[in-house]
Amino acid sequence: MTTPAGYANGHFEPSSESGLTPSFSLHVHDSYPLTQRVLFSTQLSSDTVDKSRSETMAEQQLNFPSLFQPAAERPGFFVPYRWWEDEATTVLWTFDVQDIGRVIRYGLFHDPNHPRSVLQSRNSSTIDDFLIALLEPEDIPFIVNLSHIQKVEEILRRFKTNKADPSPWAWFPAQSLSESDASSIARDIDSESHLLFKTISFEEWVRYSLGYTAPSVEWFLLQHTAFFIHLSSHLHAYPEEIDKYKNVEKHLRTRSPFAHRALVQCLFNIHEADQSDMTFMHGPAFEFIAGPIQKIFKDHPPSLTSILKMLSVLAVRFQRTYIHTSKMNWMHSFDIAVPFLEDVFGSISPADLARTLTTSDELDFGRLSRDEIVSEGPVLKHLIERWHALATAVWECCVALPDMSSYIQDCIQVLETLRNYNSSTALIKGLRDYRIAGLQSPDVNIALDIVFFEQSLSPSLSYLLDVSDNYAAYRRQMQESPGIPFLLPHVREFRRRGESALDELCQGLQVIG
């Protein structure tokens, strides 16, 4: 496996078919701007080659400009005092192992060994309690003979994020020699860039955004310089491909800004390329991910425990947005809005949370009229989208913070007494999705070829999401005790039976009014 250090210190050896040979050395003065340095290096090449051919010289290194600087690819982040570092130290001396774990997980220290030093300084009984809290009962006997230092290492191991092995850039221009569709080539290049992006953990993005060293981000940028070198070599060997890659550049403009920059610099490097028709993206290319993360630390109250919980929820969203997807949107900022989590943090009890959700629903449903439902207008669509967003937010929160599930269950019980079927069904849906996400091998009976799925909620609540006969159980409850409606069944009934199906829905809206 190629390592970052190995790649950085090694020599680039162009293929034998390339017009670039390692028999000469390019030295471009650092005082030139990047684009000028790239152009300057090409202008030097022919003279240098002639000189090298006339002399007997040992093999020399071929130098290329470095296209990316990690600090330049994130927005400027200036704070007079990094308060979170002091608070992180304070948390490491507390007795909440989950809070301690999140501090270890995100590692917002310049000294990566700081959590280790603090934990090693704590007494052995406390470390024992921490470790026991993290273990399954059957695993506890195995830690009895561990030393204090070994127990600390086990705690650190359980909370630190596993880092993916660094992957080198693996798309080569030769793969597209027979491909004439520029859009297809751009899509393949973008996919390779996205694949490398997936190897960077969310925790690493947080550290990078705040100005800490982030080796995997540096490796990602280095691989796009490698792409530049591969493509430079290819276009010198196959100058007839230049026009094709000029078209590829157009299709890359809305895709990976890193691959696009590498391709543009490569075309700038070739005199035959018409530079007037090319677009160069300016500004920090990691603005879409680093900017929102920086905003959290700038705009939210300075409470590290709350921010780390928020980041844990956003880490789940990061996976869904950038990892578990086949298409990367490099132009859209990462969504850091977590209103449900903020409502949870702002509540003093499940009942208080239920009242907050109900007040918000009453305001939103107050704008929903019969005519709006018949026309399936924007208010109706917004309410349905909001329901799905709330269900997803519950799932995100429970995956990131499992202890929150019991709090949400208690909230659902209060919502039912308030006859808020909109929020209660969304919370039930989120909890159900969370339970499905937690399926493990013991839940599978291979002999019977079935999966045992244990409901998170009692039947007295989960019946609201029984899909039988278009949620007939819920609709009966709505008829008997009208309230804030769960819209999906009513919209289906309207599409099936017409306006007469809206009577029970409008009863609920009258109750709200």
PDB file of all heavy atoms in Angstrom, residues 426-438:
ATOM      1  N   ALA A 426     -44.098  10.903  13.359  1.00  0.00           N
ATOM      2  CA  ALA A 426     -42.741  11.147  12.854  1.00  0.00           C
ATOM      3  C   ALA A 426     -41.702  10.594  13.825  1.00  0.00           C
ATOM      4  O   ALA A 426     -40.714   9.970  13.413  1.00  0.00           O
ATOM      5  CB  ALA A 426     -42.521  12.643  12.632  1.00  0.00           C
ATOM      6  N   LEU A 427     -41.926  10.805  15.119  1.00  0.00           N
ATOM      7  CA  LEU A 427     -40.992  10.281  16.118  1.00  0.00           C
ATOM      8  C   LEU A 427     -41.012   8.756  16.146  1.00  0.00           C
ATOM      9  O   LEU A 427     -39.965   8.110  16.291  1.00  0.00           O
ATOM     10  CB  LEU A 427     -41.321  10.848  17.503  1.00  0.00           C
ATOM     11  CG  LEU A 427     -40.567  12.132  17.916  1.00  0.00           C
ATOM     12  CD1 LEU A 427     -40.814  13.262  16.927  1.00  0.00           C
ATOM     13  CD2 LEU A 427     -40.971  12.564  19.327  1.00  0.00           C
ATOM     14  N   ILE A 428     -42.200   8.170  15.999  1.00  0.00           N
ATOM     15  CA  ILE A 428     -42.295   6.706  15.949  1.00  0.00           C
ATOM     16  C   ILE A 428     -41.539   6.170  14.738  1.00  0.00           C
ATOM     17  O   ILE A 428     -40.802   5.183  14.831  1.00  0.00           O
ATOM     18  CB  ILE A 428     -43.776   6.266  15.903  1.00  0.00           C
ATOM     19  CG1 ILE A 428     -44.468   6.599  17.224  1.00  0.00           C
ATOM     20  CG2 ILE A 428     -43.881   4.768  15.616  1.00  0.00           C
ATOM     21  CD1 ILE A 428     -45.977   6.419  17.182  1.00  0.00           C
ATOM     22  N   LYS A 429     -41.715   6.833  13.592  1.00  0.00           N
ATOM     23  CA  LYS A 429     -41.009   6.411  12.374  1.00  0.00           C
ATOM     24  C   LYS A 429     -39.499   6.488  12.578  1.00  0.00           C
ATOM     25  O   LYS A 429     -38.753   5.568  12.202  1.00  0.00           O
ATOM     26  CB  LYS A 429     -41.421   7.314  11.211  1.00  0.00           C
ATOM     27  CG  LYS A 429     -40.651   7.099   9.901  1.00  0.00           C
ATOM     28  CD  LYS A 429     -40.968   5.761   9.273  1.00  0.00           C
ATOM     29  CE  LYS A 429     -40.555   5.715   7.801  1.00  0.00           C
ATOM     30  NZ  LYS A 429     -39.119   5.974   7.577  1.00  0.00           N
ATOM     31  N   GLY A 430     -39.011   7.572  13.176  1.00  0.00           N
ATOM     32  CA  GLY A 430     -37.578   7.708  13.413  1.00  0.00           C
ATOM     33  C   GLY A 430     -37.044   6.638  14.346  1.00  0.00           C
ATOM     34  O   GLY A 430     -35.971   6.065  14.106  1.00  0.00           O
ATOM     35  N   LEU A 431     -37.781   6.334  15.418  1.00  0.00           N
ATOM     36  CA  LEU A 431     -37.354   5.289  16.351  1.00  0.00           C
ATOM     37  C   LEU A 431     -37.362   3.919  15.687  1.00  0.00           C
ATOM     38  O   LEU A 431     -36.489   3.086  15.945  1.00  0.00           O
ATOM     39  CB  LEU A 431     -38.262   5.276  17.582  1.00  0.00           C
ATOM     40  CG  LEU A 431     -38.007   6.353  18.638  1.00  0.00           C
ATOM     41  CD1 LEU A 431     -39.030   6.235  19.760  1.00  0.00           C
ATOM     42  CD2 LEU A 431     -36.595   6.240  19.206  1.00  0.00           C
ATOM     43  N   ARG A 432     -38.352   3.678  14.847  1.00  0.00           N
ATOM     44  CA  ARG A 432     -38.411   2.386  14.145  1.00  0.00           C
ATOM     45  C   ARG A 432     -37.223   2.236  13.202  1.00  0.00           C
ATOM     46  O   ARG A 432     -36.596   1.169  13.136  1.00  0.00           O
ATOM     47  CB  ARG A 432     -39.731   2.276  13.375  1.00  0.00           C
ATOM     48  CG  ARG A 432     -39.899   0.961  12.634  1.00  0.00           C
ATOM     49  CD  ARG A 432     -41.253   0.888  11.952  1.00  0.00           C
ATOM     50  NE  ARG A 432     -42.337   0.808  12.929  1.00  0.00           N
ATOM     51  CZ  ARG A 432     -43.624   0.758  12.598  1.00  0.00           C
ATOM     52  NH1 ARG A 432     -43.977   0.815  11.314  1.00  0.00           N
ATOM     53  NH2 ARG A 432     -44.553   0.667  13.530  1.00  0.00           N
ATOM     54  N   ASP A 433     -36.896   3.288  12.473  1.00  0.00           N
ATOM     55  CA  ASP A 433     -35.734   3.232  11.580  1.00  0.00           C
ATOM     56  C   ASP A 433     -34.446   3.014  12.374  1.00  0.00           C
ATOM     57  O   ASP A 433     -33.536   2.304  11.925  1.00  0.00           O
ATOM     58  CB  ASP A 433     -35.630   4.525  10.768  1.00  0.00           C
ATOM     59  CG  ASP A 433     -36.741   4.650   9.735  1.00  0.00           C
ATOM     60  OD1 ASP A 433     -37.394   3.635   9.439  1.00  0.00           O
ATOM     61  OD2 ASP A 433     -36.962   5.777   9.238  1.00  0.00           O
ATOM     62  N   TYR A 434     -34.367   3.636  13.541  1.00  0.00           N
ATOM     63  CA  TYR A 434     -33.192   3.453  14.401  1.00  0.00           C
ATOM     64  C   TYR A 434     -33.079   2.001  14.853  1.00  0.00           C
ATOM     65  O   TYR A 434     -31.988   1.424  14.860  1.00  0.00           O
ATOM     66  CB  TYR A 434     -33.291   4.380  15.609  1.00  0.00           C
ATOM     67  CG  TYR A 434     -32.384   4.008  16.755  1.00  0.00           C
ATOM     68  CD1 TYR A 434     -31.000   4.029  16.615  1.00  0.00           C
ATOM     69  CD2 TYR A 434     -32.920   3.618  17.993  1.00  0.00           C
ATOM     70  CE1 TYR A 434     -30.165   3.681  17.668  1.00  0.00           C
ATOM     71  CE2 TYR A 434     -32.092   3.274  19.044  1.00  0.00           C
ATOM     72  CZ  TYR A 434     -30.720   3.303  18.879  1.00  0.00           C
ATOM     73  OH  TYR A 434     -29.899   2.948  19.923  1.00  0.00           O
ATOM     74  N   ARG A 435     -34.200   1.412  15.210  1.00  0.00           N
ATOM     75  CA  ARG A 435     -34.173   0.011  15.644  1.00  0.00           C
ATOM     76  C   ARG A 435     -33.749  -0.902  14.499  1.00  0.00           C
ATOM     77  O   ARG A 435     -32.980  -1.847  14.699  1.00  0.00           O
ATOM     78  CB  ARG A 435     -35.562  -0.397  16.159  1.00  0.00           C
ATOM     79  CG  ARG A 435     -35.649  -1.846  16.620  1.00  0.00           C
ATOM     80  CD  ARG A 435     -34.756  -2.099  17.823  1.00  0.00           C
ATOM     81  NE  ARG A 435     -34.716  -3.505  18.187  1.00  0.00           N
ATOM     82  CZ  ARG A 435     -33.859  -4.393  17.713  1.00  0.00           C
ATOM     83  NH1 ARG A 435     -32.953  -4.012  16.816  1.00  0.00           N
ATOM     84  NH2 ARG A 435     -33.881  -5.642  18.112  1.00  0.00           N
ATOM     85  N   ILE A 436     -34.210  -0.618  13.302  1.00  0.00           N
ATOM     86  CA  ILE A 436     -33.809  -1.421  12.142  1.00  0.00           C
ATOM     87  C   ILE A 436     -32.308  -1.277  11.903  1.00  0.00           C
ATOM     88  O   ILE A 436     -31.616  -2.246  11.578  1.00  0.00           O
ATOM     89  CB  ILE A 436     -34.604  -0.993  10.896  1.00  0.00           C
ATOM     90  CG1 ILE A 436     -36.088  -1.335  11.082  1.00  0.00           C
ATOM     91  CG2 ILE A 436     -34.064  -1.669   9.636  1.00  0.00           C
ATOM     92  CD1 ILE A 436     -36.988  -0.782   9.995  1.00  0.00           C
ATOM     93  N   ALA A 437     -31.793  -0.048  12.078  1.00  0.00           N
ATOM     94  CA  ALA A 437     -30.359   0.190  11.875  1.00  0.00           C
ATOM     95  C   ALA A 437     -29.513  -0.588  12.871  1.00  0.00           C
ATOM     96  O   ALA A 437     -28.332  -0.852  12.621  1.00  0.00           O
ATOM     97  CB  ALA A 437     -30.055   1.683  11.995  1.00  0.00           C
ATOM     98  N   GLY A 438     -30.116  -0.968  14.005  1.00  0.00           N
ATOM     99  CA  GLY A 438     -29.363  -1.680  15.034  1.00  0.00           C
ATOM    100  C   GLY A 438     -29.432  -3.181  14.939  1.00  0.00           C
ATOM    101  O   GLY A 438     -28.984  -3.885  15.857  1.00  0.00           O
TER     102      GLY A 438
END
